């Protein structure tokens, strides 16, 4: 292994002082060009290389965990010595190793597509796409490709050694890697920024002059920054997905110059771009080629130029010509406008989402096929939704999703339909028709909640929620009789189930209120089926003045929920302190079963330990406790009854609501609540052989009551 000096040659030919900074963090120099030159001149330790095959030293995995100077030095060091770095996200490699097809690396090596880097035209980097055809594809990229793309961007934006480009995109992604190459080729510098807080870096840094942002990041900075904050910026480069014109108008109003761009891993990121401008009409396009040529054939965009990658691993060479899956047209100014895609791929937060990839992971464990489609979202452009039919349960599908998908792939809406063949058009399932249905179901909700649903899409709505340390799908088996008439929506409380990472109760309340207002249709009734903790949370939501004029809420069913906090302030403080100590008796060395056995010895759960399902319930909850305890600890205080008002006066509910209270005779505390609520106009139902959890202890009696109420 000899030093090929590819990167050393580039640095030594820059017209800058070698002590000039390349990398900043918090406005402090992390790496100079001289330090990079020294780091990449040291021979890599071959024993530490993560080769796919020990006999071959021409390529190696370079695993990314975060953007830092060590990763940057390692990347350039490998290339300098002729070794091809294969850039991968270490978390994705661990959680979903099938996303990286290792066999293709071997086959490319056997075909001599990859070997020791000898020339600028040889493969020098392998990056993976987001996964536009089943699994992510490895892309072979040469030094010539990288340098050509970097120089085109430098010329387009007139980047000099005085510029500093904020780097928030990960370096295993072409968008992040090309920022590094552009700065290197221009003798400029880059500043490390956290993806979720890049706005702070841009506003507070004295160095940053440029940034690449996706819509969500642009929204964050535009909402908090002033016109003065943008004076130091040349502009912000947009790319990866369509940006809301309203948001661009807002940015322009603060005199922030924008450049809309288009590219892909296969084109070394940007291939087309507008100049930095405040002209909205120009920004509705993706501009013109920075170098190379574009063609539109049969509405499809074709790119040609030196920045087009060599080809896919174990695939044909591109020969500097890339046929994209994007449909495009020319606008009045001869700029390119992207009008959509010809495949099923869609984008969520500037990342490509391939439905077939997600479906393949889930379908392995199903007796029916599931289908993934996008649902509209203002913040992320699209969210992921999933549909399957009644041959499988929501519980089973959720378990497969939790076991098989990375968090970014998790659907926001999971819907069990009656028969998936009802969406068949000719010999194929119509994804367009599915998307129409699921967009209507999700209408009124945002990205903050994850939902499960089943039943009749156009039916009256039945919202179901649960008690403390539970989840809404506990009711799935019980409500089968109501699927023909109702659209049933299962909603987990904050800190629970699929919404465990949602900690803000006010955000949860706003989501429910917005949905109710959006569904305010006199021809479509809304009903609530709640239990214990969720009963008081949802009742308090319905007390909100924003819902005072809603007229289509029919039934509110409260099973064993307290009517809020009824005593004095001292008692309130004691209750809050008590709720904060619920898990003090549990530690990781203790058997979770003991914790739950003690929990169910409370008087409200009288005789639940004699029920045939008791042991199964203990086993299920015990398995959940270690992974959920952190969320439940926060929920115990956030959702504590001590935070609530007196809810006895149910006349404060929107007009027309029928209030039903179900309780077990063995639960004397909540039987007293039943009498108090009855005095305020509630319909009450007592189940003789049950305590707090009536739907578990006496499901047939519970269902008879539901049939009576919901008819």
């Amino acid at each position: 292994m000899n030093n090929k000096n590819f990167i050393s040659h580039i640095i030594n030919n820059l017209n800058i002082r070698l002590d000039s900074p390349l990398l900043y963090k918090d406005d402090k120099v992390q790496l100079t060009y001289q330090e990079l030159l020294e780091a990449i001149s040291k021979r890599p330790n071959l024993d530490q290389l993560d080769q796919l095959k020990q006999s071959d030293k021409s390529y190696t995995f370079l695993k990314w965990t975060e953007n830092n100077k060590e990763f940057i030095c390692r990347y350039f060091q490998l290339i300098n010595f002729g070794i091809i770095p294969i850039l991968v996200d270490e978390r994705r490699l661990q959680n979903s190793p099938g996303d990286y097809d290792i066999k293709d690396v071997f086959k490319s090596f056997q075909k001599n597509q990859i070997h020791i880097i000898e020339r600028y035209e040889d493969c020098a980097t392998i990056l993976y796409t987001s996964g536009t055809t089943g699994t992510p594809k490895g892309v072979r990229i040469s030094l010539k490709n990288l340098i050509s793309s970097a120089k085109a961007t430098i010329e387009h934006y007139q980047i000099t050694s005085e510029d500093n480009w904020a780097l928030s995109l990960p370096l295993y992604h072409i968008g992040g890697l090309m920022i590094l190459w552009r700065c290197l080729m221009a003798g400029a510098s880059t500043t490390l920024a956290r993806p979720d807080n890049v706005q702070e870096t841009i506003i507070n840094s004295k160095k940053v002059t440029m940034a690449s942002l996706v819509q969500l990041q642009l929204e964050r900075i535009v909402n908090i920054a002033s016109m003065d904050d943008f004076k130091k910026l040349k502009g912000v480069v947009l790319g990866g997905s369509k940006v809301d014109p309203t948001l661009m108008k807002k940015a322009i109003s603060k005199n922030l110059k924008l450049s809309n761009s288009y590219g892909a891993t296969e084109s070394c990121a940007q291939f087309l771009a507008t100049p930095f401008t405040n002209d909205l009409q120009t920004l509705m396009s993706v501009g013109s080629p920075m170098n190379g040529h574009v063609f539109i054939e049969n509405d499809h965009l074709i790119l040609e130029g030196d920045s087009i990658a060599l080809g896919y691993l174990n695939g044909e060479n591109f020969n500097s010509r890339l046929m994209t899956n994007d449909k495009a047209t020319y606008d009045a100014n001869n700029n390119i406008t992207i009008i959509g895609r010809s495949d099923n791929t869609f984008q969520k937060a500037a990342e490509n989402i391939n439905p077939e990839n997600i479906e393949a992971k889930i379908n392995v464990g199903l007796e029916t096929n599931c289908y993934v489609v996008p649902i509209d979202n203002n913040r992320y452009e699209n969210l992921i939704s999933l549909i399957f039919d009644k041959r499988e349960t929501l519980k089973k599908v959720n378990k497969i999703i939790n076991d098989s998908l990375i968090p970014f792939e998790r659907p926001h809406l999971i819907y069990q339909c009656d028969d998936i063949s009802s969406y068949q058009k000719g010999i194929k399932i119509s994804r367009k028709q599915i998307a129409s249905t699921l967009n209507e179901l999700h209408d009124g909700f945002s990205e903050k909640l994850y939902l499960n649903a089943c039943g009749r899409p156009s039916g009256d709505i039945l919202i179901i929620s649960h008690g403390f340390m539970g989840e809404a799908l506990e009711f799935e088996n019980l409500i089968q009789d109501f699927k023909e008439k109702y659209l049933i929506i299962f909603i987990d409380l904050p800190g629970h189930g699929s919404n465990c990472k949602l900690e803000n109760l006010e955000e949860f309340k706003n989501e429910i209120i917005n949905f109710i207002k959006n569904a305010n249709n006199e021809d479509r009734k809304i009903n609530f089926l709640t239990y214990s903790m969720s009963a008081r949370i949802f009742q308090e939501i319905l007390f909100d003045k924003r819902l005072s004029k809603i007229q289509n809420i029919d039934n509110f069913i409260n099973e064993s929920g307290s009517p809020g906090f009824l005593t004095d302030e001292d008692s309130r403080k004691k209750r809050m302190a008590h709720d904060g100590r619920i898990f003090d008796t549990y530690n990781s060395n203790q058997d979770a079963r003991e914790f739950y056995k003690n929990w169910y010895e409370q008087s409200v759960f009288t005789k639940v330990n004699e029920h045939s399902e008791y042991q199964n319930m203990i086993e299920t909850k015990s398995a959940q406790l270690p992974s959920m305890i952190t969320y439940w600890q926060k929920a115990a205080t956030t959702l504590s009854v001590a935070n609530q008002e007196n809810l006895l006066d149910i006349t404060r509910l929107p007009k027309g609501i029928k209030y039903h209270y179900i309780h077990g005779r063995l639960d004397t505390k909540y039987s007293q609540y039943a009498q108090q609520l009855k005095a305020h106009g509630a319909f009450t139902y007592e189940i003789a052989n049950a305590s707090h959890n009536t739907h578990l202890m006496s499901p047939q009696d519970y269902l008879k009551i539901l049939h009576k109420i919901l008819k």
Side-chain angles (χ1 to χ4, degrees):
M1 177 179 60
N2 298 319
N3 192 338
K4 307 296 182 180
N5 287 316
F6 291 114
I7 308 301
S8 299
H9 179 75
I10 291 171
I11 295 173
N12 285 321
N13 280 277
L14 291 172
N15 189 25
I16 60 166
R17 290 167 50 106
L18 288 180
D19 60 0
S20 299
L22 170 62
L23 184 68
Y24 286 93
K25 184 178 180 181
D26 299 326
D27 276 353
K28 296 177 181 176
V29 177
Q30 300 289 301
L31 183 69
T32 66
Y33 281 88
Q34 180 65 50
E35 289 167 340
L36 176 61
L37 192 61
E38 292 170 3
I40 66 176
S41 299
K42 297 175 183 176
R43 185 182 300 271
N45 187 334
L46 294 181
D47 294 332
Q48 293 179 354
L49 290 182
D50 193 0
Q51 272 107 8
L52 306 180
K53 196 165 70 173
Q54 282 299 316
S55 60
D56 180 42
K57 308 296 184 184
S58 63
Y59 51 83
T60 181
F61 270 139
L62 184 55
K63 299 175 183 176
W64 178 94
T65 54
E66 65 174 3
N67 289 348
N68 56 41
K69 70 176 182 179
E70 290 78 17
F71 186 91
I72 292 170
C73 290
R74 186 67 160 159
Y75 170 72
F76 284 129
Q77 178 194 37
L78 291 170
I79 294 175
N80 213 41
F81 278 82
I83 300 170
I84 304 169
I86 304 172
L87 307 188
V88 294
D89 178 2
E90 184 168 30
R91 287 167 295 188
R92 189 166 191 171
L93 187 64
Q94 291 174 347
N95 296 334
S96 190
D99 287 353
Y100 299 108
D101 194 343
I102 307 306
K103 292 179 181 177
D104 281 342
V105 180
F106 295 143
K107 291 175 182 176
S108 282
F109 175 72
Q110 291 167 348
K111 290 181 177 181
N112 204 35
Q113 289 179 335
I114 57 175
H115 47 72
I116 291 288
I117 310 167
E118 298 285 356
R119 306 175 305 139
Y120 281 84
E121 292 78 15
D122 292 338
C123 176
T125 295
I126 294 173
L127 284 182
Y128 282 84
T129 65
S130 300
T132 56
T133 56
T135 57
K137 291 181 178 180
V139 181
R140 296 177 284 120
I141 304 173
S142 70
L143 284 170
K144 180 181 178 181
N145 300 147
L146 294 163
I147 292 169
S148 175
S149 176
K151 285 183 174 180
T153 301
I154 291 167
E155 183 177 349
H156 184 75
Y157 295 123
Q158 295 296 294
I159 300 172
T160 71
S161 60
E162 300 300 313
D163 281 308
N164 180 285
W165 200 314
L167 175 58
S168 65
L169 299 171
L171 286 166
Y172 68 82
H173 188 284
I174 192 64
L177 188 67
M178 286 312 304
I179 290 174
L180 186 61
W181 272 98
R182 293 163 197 154
C183 292
L184 178 75
M185 296 302 300
S189 59
T190 183
T191 291
L192 296 179
R194 281 175 38 207
D196 61 345
N197 201 19
V198 65
Q199 66 274 14
E200 183 177 302
T201 300
I202 293 174
I203 291 172
N204 295 333
S205 172
K206 297 177 182 177
K207 305 294 182 183
V208 172
T209 61
M210 303 176 65
S212 293
L213 302 179
V214 297
Q215 174 163 309
L216 180 59
Q217 294 171 322
L218 179 65
E219 180 184 356
R220 287 173 178 161
I221 191 170
V222 168
N223 285 340
I224 65 171
S226 67
M227 196 176 291
D228 287 341
D229 292 323
F230 295 139
K231 285 182 177 178
K232 63 183 179 181
L233 294 181
K234 273 188 174 180
V236 165
V237 180
L238 306 174
S241 65
K242 290 182 179 179
V243 178
D244 181 3
T246 304
L247 178 58
M248 288 197 286
K249 276 185 184 178
K250 190 172 181 180
I252 290 168
S253 71
K254 295 190 175 184
N255 204 31
L256 177 60
K257 292 187 182 297
L258 304 174
S259 168
N260 204 6
S261 67
Y262 172 89
T265 307
E266 295 90 335
S267 64
C268 293
Q270 287 180 303
F271 195 89
L272 300 103
T274 71
F276 285 130
T277 180
N278 288 143
D279 181 60
L280 186 61
Q281 184 178 354
T282 301
L283 292 169
M284 296 304 292
S285 76
V286 291
S288 55
M290 295 188 298
N291 78 343
H293 306 279
V294 297
F295 307 93
I296 297 176
E297 294 181 4
N298 298 322
D299 294 332
H300 281 75
L301 185 64
I302 299 172
L303 314 179
E304 281 189 2
D306 289 340
S307 64
I308 302 301
L310 298 174
Y312 296 121
L313 283 173
N314 192 35
E316 296 297 320
N317 291 332
F318 293 151
N319 296 319
S320 301
R321 180 181 171 92
L322 180 67
M323 169 78 81
T324 75
N325 284 319
D326 292 299
K327 293 185 176 183
T329 186
Y330 290 100
D331 69 10
N333 296 313
N334 217 32
N335 288 320
I336 296 292
T337 300
I338 306 298
I339 57 177
R341 291 186 67 92
S342 60
D343 58 14
N344 295 319
T345 302
F346 59 91
Q347 290 195 319
K348 172 189 171 186
E351 287 291 333
N352 284 336
I353 299 295
N354 180 265
E356 288 93 343
N357 190 18
I358 297 175
E359 291 162 7
K361 294 179 183 180
I362 299 171
N363 283 338
V364 170
L366 299 182
E367 294 181 12
T368 179
N369 283 335
C370 70
Y371 294 87
V372 169
V373 296
I375 45 179
D376 297 336
N377 179 260
N378 290 334
R379 202 169 195 191
Y380 293 108
E381 187 174 358
N382 293 292
L383 300 176
I384 300 168
S385 66
L386 179 143
I387 190 172
F388 64 99
D389 66 29
K390 63 184 179 183
R391 285 172 284 179
E392 298 289 2
T393 65
L394 283 161
K395 266 192 176 181
K396 180 178 177 180
V397 171
N398 272 266
K399 185 179 187 310
I400 292 173
I401 286 170
N402 290 335
D403 293 343
S404 306
L405 302 186
I406 59 176
F408 191 77
E409 294 172 326
R410 181 176 179 84
H412 271 74
L413 171 63
I414 303 170
Y415 175 61
Q416 180 203 51
C417 68
D418 185 57
D419 185 358
I420 200 71
S421 66
S422 64
Y423 292 95
Q424 194 163 320
K425 192 174 183 180
I427 62 173
K428 291 185 177 181
I429 295 294
S430 171
R431 291 179 184 269
K432 184 177 181 180
Q433 190 177 342
I434 291 173
S436 176
T437 297
L438 298 193
N439 271 277
E440 286 182 19
L441 295 189
H442 195 260
D443 194 20
F445 289 109
S446 78
E447 72 284 348
K448 292 175 183 175
L449 285 189
Y450 289 83
L451 309 169
N452 285 276
C454 63
R456 184 181 170 198
S458 60
D460 287 346
I461 297 168
L462 177 60
I463 293 175
I464 297 179
S465 198
H466 58 90
F468 182 48
M469 295 188 290
E471 53 187 39
L473 287 179
E474 292 170 9
F475 289 83
E476 182 181 10
N477 291 337
L478 278 169
I479 51 76
Q480 295 300 309
D481 292 348
F482 304 99
K483 288 161 64 174
E484 187 175 343
K485 178 181 178 182
Y486 292 94
L487 168 63
I488 301 169
I489 303 175
F490 300 90
I491 303 181
D492 290 331
L493 293 172
H496 292 78
S498 56
N499 293 317
C500 62
K501 293 185 179 180
L502 177 63
E503 298 178 3
N504 190 315
L505 180 57
E506 288 306 309
E507 286 186 354
F508 179 82
K509 289 180 177 179
N510 288 336
E511 284 288 304
I512 305 302
I513 288 169
N514 289 338
F515 175 76
I516 293 171
K517 290 171 69 178
N518 189 71
N520 186 24
N521 182 336
E522 60 182 17
D523 295 326
R524 194 179 199 191
K525 300 297 184 182
I526 302 176
N527 303 270
F528 292 86
L529 177 58
T530 61
Y531 167 62
S532 195
M533 177 181 275
S534 68
R536 54 182 173 79
I537 297 295
F538 275 89
Q539 184 176 334
E540 190 169 70
I541 290 172
L542 294 181
F543 276 6
D544 193 286
K545 292 180 180 179
R546 287 172 286 178
L547 299 178
S548 61
K549 295 182 180 180
I550 298 295
Q551 297 180 356
N552 67 325
I553 302 177
D554 196 8
N555 296 289
F556 184 84
I557 304 170
N558 175 344
E559 177 197 358
S560 302
S562 82
F565 202 80
L566 307 180
T567 53
D568 56 53
E569 288 304 310
D570 284 342
S571 299
R572 189 187 294 274
K573 291 177 184 176
K574 290 177 182 177
R575 177 56 191 259
M576 181 60 78
H578 165 272
D579 291 346
R581 295 193 301 268
I582 286 175
F583 294 98
D584 285 0
T585 59
Y586 173 78
N587 62 66
S588 57
N589 296 319
Q590 177 193 4
D591 190 335
R593 296 177 188 84
E594 289 303 312
F595 171 83
Y596 279 111
K597 287 177 181 177
N598 293 332
W599 177 260
Y600 285 110
E601 284 178 1
Q602 296 179 79
S603 60
V604 295
F605 297 113
T606 297
K607 290 192 175 182
V608 72
N609 58 359
E610 298 176 11
H611 192 270
S612 60
E613 286 298 313
Y614 172 72
Q615 200 56 45
N616 287 337
M617 179 176 68
I618 292 292
E619 294 297 325
T620 300
K621 290 185 178 292
S622 297
Q624 293 175 332
L625 184 58
S627 62
M628 293 299 296
I629 187 170
T630 302
Y631 303 114
W632 288 343
Q633 280 178 318
K634 292 178 181 177
T637 52
T638 303
L639 308 184
S640 171
V641 68
N643 285 326
Q644 294 193 276
E645 58 182 309
N646 185 323
L647 304 174
L648 273 174
D649 185 8
I650 59 177
T651 62
R652 293 171 54 198
L653 292 167
K655 290 182 180 179
I657 296 180
K658 296 182 284 291
Y659 192 103
H660 308 270
Y661 192 84
I662 303 173
H663 66 101
R665 184 182 297 172
L666 301 178
D667 181 358
T668 56
K669 178 179 179 180
Y670 284 78
S671 293
Q672 291 175 3
Y673 288 150
Q675 293 305 311
Q676 291 174 291
L677 285 164
K678 186 175 182 179
H680 283 79
F683 299 96
T684 60
Y685 311 82
E686 183 180 79
I687 297 179
N689 298 315
S691 54
H692 196 67
N693 192 331
T694 67
H695 67 268
L696 172 76
M697 296 182 70
S698 191
Q700 294 306 315
D701 291 331
Y702 176 82
L703 278 173
K704 285 179 183 177
I705 295 170
L706 292 192
H707 277 288
K708 181 179 179 180
I709 296 169
L710 299 172
K711 299 176 182 178

